[in-house]
Amino acid sequence: MDKFIIYGGNPLRGRVRISGSKNAALPILCSSILSGGVCTYTNVPDLDDISTVCKVLEQLGVVPEKTGKNSLRLHPQNITSHEAPYDLVKKMRASILVLGPLLARLGRAKVSLPGGCAIGVRPIDMHLKAFAKMGAEIDLSHGYVVARADKLRGTRIVFDNTTVGGTENVMMAACLAEGTTVIEGAAKEPEVTDLAGVLTAMGAQIQGAGESTMVIEGVKSLSGTTYEVIPDRIETGTFLVAAGITKGRVTIEGGRAAHVTAVIEKLMDMGLSISEGQGGLIEVDGGCDLKPVHVETVPYPGFPTDMQAQIMALSCVAQGASSITENIFENRFMHVPELVRMGAVLDEKGRTVLVQGIERFQGASVMATDLRASASLVLAGLNALGYTEVRRIYHLDRGYEGLDAKLTALGARVTREKGGL
Ligand code: EPU
């Protein structure tokens, strides 16, 4: 397994271009199942998770054609299978997003249950309850969800808790259902709005995307389309933190400041200077003494859980006591013991981690456990005295396109070593 060796202490300087959003691209690629024609996508990040979803789609009979590093054409005209097997789904939970489109297009789907993951139990009960309400018969059998519906019916779906994937799955199914589906308590994340964008481009009738109530009028069929994926807001936030933790000065190209408002507000509270330049550039200057911060993760437009580990790393080197509360996932503090190995002073109390600021991290060997935890360890390594070895960076390769190359171009000393534990 590859690892990163990071020599900390270099302030990042220069320009970095943000890649397409992983979490927008995954459901968008799954939505091709609904289409009767060729779908062409641009600004698709070149990531392991994207290759995995392409394999899932290929298994179903969608023919993927890579037309460039960041562009992809999918041919979904001849879907031959309705089954997403365990071997692929276990690699990536988001494979569950084929369930709604398969049910709507073929009237049947057999998708492996994703199982637990490093950040929590992550059940899919809200997805299944919604499909049952739309008229699907659902059985859980031998580790698979087996769903059938001659024709899905539009209905009123109420999500008591926010679910991004649940909202996306139901949206996709509702596009080809009979009648009107109203989703209340819908997730408002930009990735959900982007999915609505592509579905609308395919001919779907969707109102209220990005709001808590969404109304979808079923149509008979959807056509092929060409669509550009939005930039990755979590990668944008991660580079903002990278500038702060190295006291650097970075210009971010191709990100959208409006998608990271809550992150920018917290970072500015900590003392960073952040401004929007011409042509959508985001300028960040981290040359300041960092103030402590209090963060609670909440659904969009609040502070994202996917930035919790990164801001925790930054708060570790702020002057004073910070607190970070995780409200979305029950086990998303796997980075805490690793950050402690790098000298952080952290006290985990249930959903909250109390942080006592230190001057600087110390380089150490640490182990990545999930995608965003890995990012926080890399950030800590960029700040640390001496060298840090971040092992198991395959997690990073799932979600950050060319992170080592981008950091190196900004003046960081990061090298990738192949193999090992
Ligand atoms: N939940 C349930 N039942 C359900 C669905 C969700 O209890 O049926 C719970 C989950 O266990 C979790 C919470 O509800 O505690 C929120 O889950 P949600 O469904 O919103 O998350 P998701 O769709 O599985 C997406 C992102 C995650 C991101 C979350 C929250 C993708 C592919 N993944 O997951 O991204 O953290 O929304 O914003 O879009 C990441 O990129 O590192 C990542 C984990």
Side-chain angles (χ1 to χ4, degrees):
M1 273 178 254
D2 293 4
K3 59 186 172 191
F4 277 177
I5 307 288
I6 305 170
Y7 284 88
N10 284 10
L12 300 191
R13 296 213 187 280
R15 285 181 170 236
V16 63
R17 173 154 281 279
I18 297 303
S19 298
S21 160
K22 163 182 85 82
N23 288 349
L26 293 173
I28 285 176
L29 299 186
C30 293
S31 75
S32 70
I33 295 172
L34 297 165
S35 165
V38 177
C39 297
T40 305
Y41 306 107
T42 55
N43 205 30
V44 179
D46 189 19
L47 298 170
D48 288 353
D49 271 10
I50 299 296
S51 312
T52 305
V53 82
C54 284
K55 284 191 190 122
V56 175
L57 292 169
E58 203 169 3
Q59 166 85 23
L60 301 172
V62 177
V63 180
E65 187 192 342
K66 196 144 166 74
T67 47
K69 183 169 185 287
N70 297 113
S71 53
L72 200 57
R73 197 172 291 143
L74 297 180
H75 302 261
Q77 294 92 330
N78 296 311
I79 294 184
T80 46
S81 162
H82 63 281
E83 183 171 337
Y86 178 62
D87 279 350
L88 290 172
V89 178
K90 75 166 194 274
K91 278 194 180 174
M92 192 191 61
R93 297 182 50 82
S95 313
I96 197 68
L97 292 171
V98 300
L99 184 56
L102 280 176
L103 253 184
R105 170 98 187 249
L106 302 180
R108 56 205 291 227
K110 183 175 174 189
V111 180
S112 170
L113 281 162
C117 87
I119 61 177
V121 184
R122 301 183 75 181
I124 53 159
D125 55 311
M126 292 194 269
H127 304 228
L128 301 185
K129 208 171 139 195
F131 291 134
K133 190 132 192 255
M134 293 175 84
E137 260 176 54
I138 295 181
D139 288 314
L140 299 184
S141 166
H142 301 280
Y144 279 79
V145 180
V146 183
R148 265 186 211 84
D150 285 342
K151 187 74 192 159
L152 289 172
R153 291 187 308 270
T155 183
R156 179 169 168 256
I157 307 286
V158 181
F159 286 124
D160 297 332
N161 294 308
T162 307
T163 165
V164 175
T167 303
E168 293 167 342
N169 231 341
V170 171
M171 276 167 79
M172 291 189 275
C175 287
L176 291 184
E178 216 167 66
T180 310
T181 303
V182 178
I183 309 178
E184 287 179 23
K188 301 179 205 155
E189 271 66 4
E191 295 77 17
V192 170
T193 310
D194 210 29
L195 177 61
V198 76
L199 291 168
T200 304
M202 289 157 75
Q205 302 285 322
I206 303 176
Q207 279 176 359
E211 295 165 26
S212 59
T213 302
M214 212 185 296
V215 181
I216 302 163
E217 204 66 58
V219 295
K220 291 252 175 308
S221 63
L222 293 176
S223 59
T225 189
T226 297
Y227 197 79
E228 182 177 333
V229 175
I230 52 167
D232 197 304
R233 64 191 167 104
I234 305 304
E235 190 194 14
T236 306
T238 304
F239 276 103
L240 290 172
V241 172
I245 210 161
T246 61
K247 298 203 181 297
R249 211 178 163 142
V250 173
T251 301
I252 295 177
E253 293 176 359
R256 285 202 198 157
H259 288 174
V260 279
T261 306
V263 174
I264 288 179
E265 276 174 11
K266 285 295 175 194
L267 295 178
M268 288 180 73
D269 288 351
M270 293 182 82
L272 271 67
S273 257
I274 302 175
S275 59
E276 252 191 285
Q278 284 188 337
L281 297 179
I282 307 172
E283 312 273 0
V284 50
D285 185 348
C288 60
D289 287 335
L290 290 168
K291 295 189 208 90
V293 69
H294 301 284
V295 174
E296 286 218 18
T297 63
V298 275
Y300 191 81
F303 193 94
T305 172
D306 291 342
M307 280 299 300
Q308 176 259 107
Q310 299 90 318
I311 202 160
M312 187 185 295
L314 187 63
S315 72
C316 287
V317 289
Q319 293 176 352
S322 298
S323 69
I324 314 282
T325 301
E326 172 58 51
N327 291 315
I328 309 294
F329 292 106
E330 68 269 26
N331 190 29
R332 211 172 194 183
F333 284 146
M334 306 275 276
H335 42 287
V336 167
E338 301 300 304
L339 291 172
V340 168
R341 299 195 63 252
M342 297 180 70
V345 180
L346 301 175
D347 184 8
E348 192 177 329
K349 288 194 181 307
R351 285 192 170 275
T352 300
V353 171
L354 304 175
V355 184
Q356 200 58 54
I358 54 167
E359 201 157 310
R360 195 169 170 191
F361 283 104
Q362 301 151 19
S365 280
V366 286
M367 190 84 89
T369 48
D370 72 76
L371 172 56
R372 310 304 172 186
S374 315
S376 77
L377 300 178
V378 171
L379 291 166
L382 293 174
N383 166 279
L385 182 67
Y387 84 92
T388 298
E389 186 183 64
V390 184
R391 298 184 189 198
R392 299 200 177 174
I393 49 138
Y394 65 88
H395 293 289
L396 282 169
D397 294 334
R398 290 184 52 183
Y400 286 92
E401 187 179 61
L403 183 62
D404 40 346
K406 289 186 184 185
L407 288 172
T408 305
L410 291 172
R413 288 198 291 161
V414 180
T415 48
R416 178 186 289 258
E417 272 189 15
K418 297 258 173 216
L421 276 180

